[in-house]
Amino acid sequence: MFRVSLVSSLRPLTNPVLVQAAQGVRLTSFRTFSSFRSAHFRPNVLAALRKRSPTLATASFFANSSRTLLTDSAAVTTRPSQAEAWRRYGFTAATVAGTIIAVNVFFNRETRDSLSLAERSYLHESFMYAGGGLAITALAARSMFKSGFAFRIMSANPWLVLGVSLAGSIGSMMGVFYTSPENTVLKHAFWLGFNACQAATLSPLFFLSPAILSRAALYSAGVFGSLSYVGATAATDKYLYMGGPLLAGVTVVALSALAPMALPLGMRSLAIAESISLYGGLAVFGGFILYDTQKILQHGRMAHVGAVPRDPMREAISLELDMINIFIRIVQILTMQKKKK
């Protein structure tokens, strides 16, 4: 429960790449040396140079060579050819497939017998709600971005946005957890509210390049699918012992994400905190996928004998949070790699 948006809500709002992308929307297309003066009062340096008599032999050369610095022309971009694009898609697909195989071979050396009918049914329902929730979150986040809601989020006070998003996410999640499965309408309403809160938090991600988001979604799906498959086919209750260490790990990750906002850290300390939050978060939430998958199977067996109520929607919340947190961190890793190039 501690996982809920303390990390998933915080990551998009504290990502400096997103802040720069959001601020770039407010800039005009003029590339100038000053942002104080209006474009109507900005002097045209190239026109002033042309009006002068070329007393020096290098005047025309200076005017021609300065064009890239003084004009407002858009930057020239090159797009990869269709063959290069297909080559990249093939490489990405091979990477995801290789990751799935490698993870299965490494983690799943001791497999179990086939799932019982009760376990399989409960697991399918939980993943169905998780997939539906992620689809709703993605569509709602895109709609909020196109309507300008994401820009208003980035322009608001980050602490206010963080508090509201945490209150909404935790409140709706508690509603899903503590509403009886027999009360279908109210439980689905809380579930939709939780996905709406996650969508509002993730909508600023659309300021980034669609290519980065699509690659991050593909990588996240590969990681999520491979680890959930390992958890479903591993020996019974093999990864349930990880609950305590994972809770401690997510606490460290959350504190490392909050540290740059609350403490006056130096550059080296900021880099360490960012690395812990980024790469440590990937490891922690990857472990949560294994833990949550086996927890779903355990609850399926218990629900079959009547020990606990059958509530796949509650299980889906944990899976959604795992996927969202992994996706956010992969987006940031890809963005950092692109900036280095």
Side-chain angles (χ1 to χ4, degrees), residues 273-285:
E274 181 68 16
S275 298
I276 293 175
S277 178
L278 184 61
Y279 300 102
L282 276 177
V284 167
F285 288 104

Side-chain angles (χ1 to χ4, degrees), residues 159 255-273:
W159 289 106
L255 293 177
S256 64
L258 284 170
M261 302 178 63
L263 300 176
L265 301 178
M267 293 299 295
R268 181 173 298 181
S269 300
L270 286 173
I272 294 175

Side-chain angles (χ1 to χ4, degrees), residues 176-254:
V176 173
F177 281 6
Y178 294 105
T179 300
S180 173
E182 286 76 16
N183 196 346
T184 307
V185 176
L186 182 59
K187 196 173 186 68
H188 279 78
F190 279 122
W191 178 69
L192 291 175
F194 174 81
N195 291 306
C197 292
Q198 298 304 307
T201 302
L202 296 175
S203 59
L205 287 176
F206 284 96
F207 283 114
L208 299 176
S209 170
I212 292 179
L213 298 181
S214 59
R215 288 178 60 193
L218 181 60
Y219 294 158
S220 302
V223 172
F224 184 84
S226 60
L227 290 177
S228 59
Y229 175 78
V230 169
T233 57
T236 303
D237 300 341
K238 180 179 180 180
Y239 296 109
L240 289 182
Y241 76 93
M242 298 170 60
L246 288 175
L247 181 60
V250 77
T251 304
V252 174
V253 170

Side-chain angles (χ1 to χ4, degrees), residues 48-68:
L49 288 175
R50 286 175 176 173
K51 288 181 181 180
R52 296 182 180 179
S53 59
T55 57
L56 298 176
T58 58
S60 60
F61 172 77
F62 175 76
N64 293 329
S65 63
S66 302
R67 183 168 183 172
T68 57

Side-chain angles (χ1 to χ4, degrees), residues 290-318:
L290 295 171
Y291 172 78
D292 289 332
T293 303
Q294 292 219 319
K295 186 182 67 174
I296 291 172
L297 296 177
Q298 184 191 50
H299 289 174
R301 294 190 298 268
M302 297 174 66
H304 181 65
V305 298
V308 296
R310 185 182 181 86
D311 193 358
M313 193 180 299
R314 175 173 182 164
E315 315 290 350
I317 295 293
S318 300

Side-chain angles (χ1 to χ4, degrees), residues 25 49 65 72 74 104-105 109-110 114 116 134 138 151 156 170 178 183 192 197 245 251 254 266 277 280 287 306 319:
V25 176
L49 288 175
S65 63
D72 299 328
N104 185 36
V105 171
R109 298 176 182 176
E110 298 179 4
S114 60
S116 65
L134 291 173
F151 182 78
I170 294 177
Y178 294 105
N183 196 346
L192 291 175
C197 292
T251 304
S277 178
L319 296 175

